Amino acid sequence: MWKLIGKQRNVVSLRPTPPVITVSYSVLFLAAIVSILPFLYILSTSVKDTQSLFSYPPEWIPEQLFWGNYVKLFQETSFLNWTFNTIFIGLSITILKLIIDAMAAYSLAKLQFIGKHIISSTLLMAVAIPVAALIIPLFFIVRDMGLLNTYWALILPALANPLGIFLLRSFIVSLPDELIHSARLDGASEWRVFTQLILPLISSGLVVHAVFTFMLQYTNFLWPLVAIQTETRQVLTVGISSLKSNFVVDWGLISAASLLATIPITILFIALQRFFLAQSLSSALKG
Amino acid sequence: MRRNLTAYLFLTPVLLFFGVFLIWPGITLFFQTFQTGGIMSPAIVVGTKNWERTFIDPLVLKTVWNTIRYCLMAIPVVFIIAMVLALALNSVRIGHTAFKTIIYYPTLQPILIAALMFTFVLHQDFGVLNIIMRAITGNPVNFLGNESLAMPTIALVEVWKGVGFWTLLFLAGIQNLPRDLYHAAELDGAGPFRRFFQLTLPLLKPTFFFSIIFATIVNLQVFDSIFILTDGGPFHSTASTTWYIYRSLFTFNEPGYGATLSFVLVIVVLILTALQSFAFRDRN
């Protein structure tokens, strides 16, 4: 066994050398600590009462766990509403976007029609439009539709983002044309080809798309801040930030809220980790 | 003909939302730059008044410069750290997935939560970093209240949150590179540094070009972290263009002026991305 590895090493092996491995592990350990430490810090802050928050030297692990921040969060703020709103809006957008983007992607990938080039390049160029610059006209359009302060105000504009179409198109393009041709020869309509042949074949692409759409909505801040004024209709990001703008900043309360807000996306992350870390995303975005 | 119809039917929903919520706002944005009011009272046409003000308002130039300054700080730093982490991940087997997961985790969280967390971490009185600073130097540092430190601090928060995304992107790029070239390079006796600078970096050019353009578009719209951490202060040293747009609409109640600022942002983004695409196409 050793001989074999030694032999391979003499010929050529892309195995990193021991110093490279040592440096790599040191870098990764450092990065892991920097990534995790702030989360532990707010965990510790969230179970402290105001007094031990300001104590010096600081208590990293409070002797007495204080649950008051969490109690206050559920009793005195609309935290549960915000969580429900975030998940509900995120899921609605994800489902609707998946359907319409997959349809468009199929059309752009496998159907021939007049104006195809113009449409696909217009959609692609629109990726470069900074959406932050559109909040003012969008605010008035949504207001004139009478949708301000409703879920629709957050759901409908999100469906306009064309990026996901190109992700799905790259999955569909790689499917062999013969497959579609033979299905058509068998008398299947385009709709049947799409729903019964294409969709099952690109299921992993659909999950990647869904995961990223949901994540984008979960982290969205500027547009909900503009479009929703009613406190109970707010999403988590804006809701939690509103806790900070009170006269006395309650760090314990904000910590508890921030920490709980990481839970839904963490559960999703653990369940679908494979797709979050999917490498296909990068290649698809470039294609 | 039927072919065309089917294809367009598949495209209809996307084109509908795209038209109403992206193209239409783009068009009305242009007209709004010539108007004032509209929130409490009907909008009035004021001609080029907003544009004249844009050119003499020193804060416009300042926010554009702040936004670009922020990009120049955040993007190179996040790319370099992500590249180092991607290379490190690429050379370890044991714990590979665990490290990947942990490094990616901050990217999942809303930047707002990152910003709030760092508000505590950097807080002058009880933030963990200042507790350490006080122990070492005796003096706390007011990271967010200092004109020259505030923007680098914001950039750092964004880097902390964004680095996982770029790490995975670069790692995917590295793992897709042709392996036989590396075998050849190793046979020629090229060490890890030479392999990196003469093989990996040049081969990753397409990934970098795409990443730089994408990162520029996203980062020129920086808002969330600024809104939470400094709200543009101190003395507008962290006021980004998007921050100014938001304030024009809600605090100053001047949507027309905000529309003009938005137009400026669109122009800045389009010019910078066009320049980058041009530069990259030339070299390829």
Side-chain angles (χ1 to χ4, degrees), chain A residues 63-256:
Chain A
E63 267 171 48
Q64 192 108 49
L65 291 186
F66 174 72
W67 298 107
N69 294 319
Y70 289 92
V71 173
K72 194 174 167 192
L73 186 67
F74 287 110
Q75 286 181 348
E76 293 175 29
T77 74
S78 310
F79 187 80
L80 281 176
N81 278 324
W82 302 334
T83 310
F84 172 79
N85 296 342
T86 306
I87 293 172
F88 177 78
I89 292 166
L91 285 179
S92 309
I93 291 171
T94 306
I95 292 166
L96 291 170
K97 212 163 157 40
L98 214 55
I99 298 168
I100 68 170
D101 282 3
M103 285 167 64
Y106 173 59
S107 181
L108 290 174
K110 293 292 181 193
L111 300 179
Q112 300 304 323
F113 57 94
I114 300 162
K116 179 171 169 175
H117 186 69
I118 295 171
I119 288 177
S120 79
S121 45
T122 309
L123 290 171
L124 190 61
M125 275 193 292
V127 174
I129 296 176
V131 282
L134 296 181
I135 55 162
I136 291 179
L138 209 53
F139 173 80
F140 287 104
I141 289 170
V142 169
R143 186 194 69 175
D144 293 343
M145 289 176 166
L147 298 178
L148 278 187
N149 280 324
T150 66
Y151 288 153
W152 292 114
L154 301 186
I155 294 172
L156 297 179
L159 302 178
N161 180 352
L163 198 60
I165 301 169
F166 296 98
L167 175 84
L168 293 179
R169 191 185 66 167
S170 73
F171 278 90
I172 300 176
V173 161
S174 60
L175 300 177
D177 283 334
E178 295 77 33
L179 213 66
I180 298 164
H181 283 307
S182 59
R184 284 187 195 140
L185 284 179
D186 286 345
S189 65
E190 284 306 331
W191 183 250
R192 259 196 81 188
V193 172
F194 171 68
T195 52
Q196 300 193 358
L197 184 69
I198 303 290
L199 286 186
L201 285 174
I202 59 159
S203 54
S204 63
L206 293 173
V207 183
V208 172
H209 181 291
V211 159
F212 276 89
T213 306
F214 187 82
M215 194 177 101
L216 218 60
Q217 288 318 309
Y218 199 84
T219 55
N220 202 358
F221 183 70
L222 178 57
W223 177 241
L225 183 70
V226 170
I228 307 289
Q229 303 300 326
T230 315
E231 199 240 354
T232 50
R233 299 232 177 110
Q234 207 43 276
V235 293
L236 271 172
T237 49
V238 182
I240 296 173
S241 82
S242 71
L243 296 178
K244 199 195 166 205
S245 49
N246 290 338
F247 293 104
V248 182
V249 182
D250 189 338
W251 295 112
L253 183 70
I254 296 177
S255 297

Side-chain angles (χ1 to χ4, degrees), chain A residues 44-54 62 64-66 69:
Chain A
S44 148
T45 311
S46 77
V47 288
K48 282 181 192 169
D49 56 21
T50 320
Q51 221 152 34
S52 52
L53 194 64
F54 293 99
Q64 192 108 49
L65 291 186
F66 174 72
N69 294 319

Side-chain angles (χ1 to χ4, degrees), chain B residues 123-283:
Chain B
H123 196 279
Q124 197 176 0
D125 298 325
F126 61 90
V128 62
L129 214 58
N130 267 321
I131 289 165
I132 296 167
M133 290 299 278
R134 222 177 301 163
I136 300 170
T137 65
N139 291 315
V141 180
N142 192 355
F143 290 96
L144 295 166
N146 181 316
E147 253 186 286
S148 49
L149 279 180
M151 194 56 112
T153 307
I154 298 234
L156 211 65
V157 174
E158 295 271 354
V159 166
W160 177 81
K161 141 118 184 147
V163 81
F165 176 80
W166 298 111
T167 303
L168 289 204
L169 202 87
F170 293 161
L171 180 65
I174 292 171
Q175 290 178 336
N176 286 336
L177 294 178
R179 296 190 74 89
D180 35 340
L181 272 178
Y182 285 83
H183 283 286
E186 197 161 38
L187 280 176
D188 284 346
F193 280 99
R194 259 194 77 193
R195 285 206 302 269
F196 174 70
F197 284 107
Q198 303 201 338
L199 266 181
T200 312
L201 273 187
L203 286 172
L204 281 179
K205 252 187 197 168
T207 307
F208 283 135
F209 290 172
F210 155 78
S211 303
I212 290 171
I213 293 176
F214 191 66
T216 307
I217 298 171
V218 173
N219 281 295
L220 283 174
Q221 305 176 53
V222 59
F223 174 79
D224 305 5
S225 53
I226 290 172
F227 183 79
I228 302 295
L229 286 169
T230 60
D231 200 16
F235 307 109
H236 294 309
S237 63
T238 58
S240 71
T241 312
T242 306
W243 173 86
Y244 201 14
I245 294 169
Y246 174 79
R247 285 292 168 214
S248 311
L249 179 63
F250 280 114
T251 314
F252 310 135
N253 194 10
E254 290 172 324
Y257 193 54
T260 317
L261 299 171
S262 306
F263 214 85
V264 171
L265 179 63
V266 173
I267 292 167
V268 170
V269 170
L270 290 186
I271 287 178
L272 288 179
T273 47
L275 278 178
Q276 287 171 346
S277 317
F278 183 73
F280 297 156
R281 191 165 302 161
D282 218 37
R283 255 184 263 167

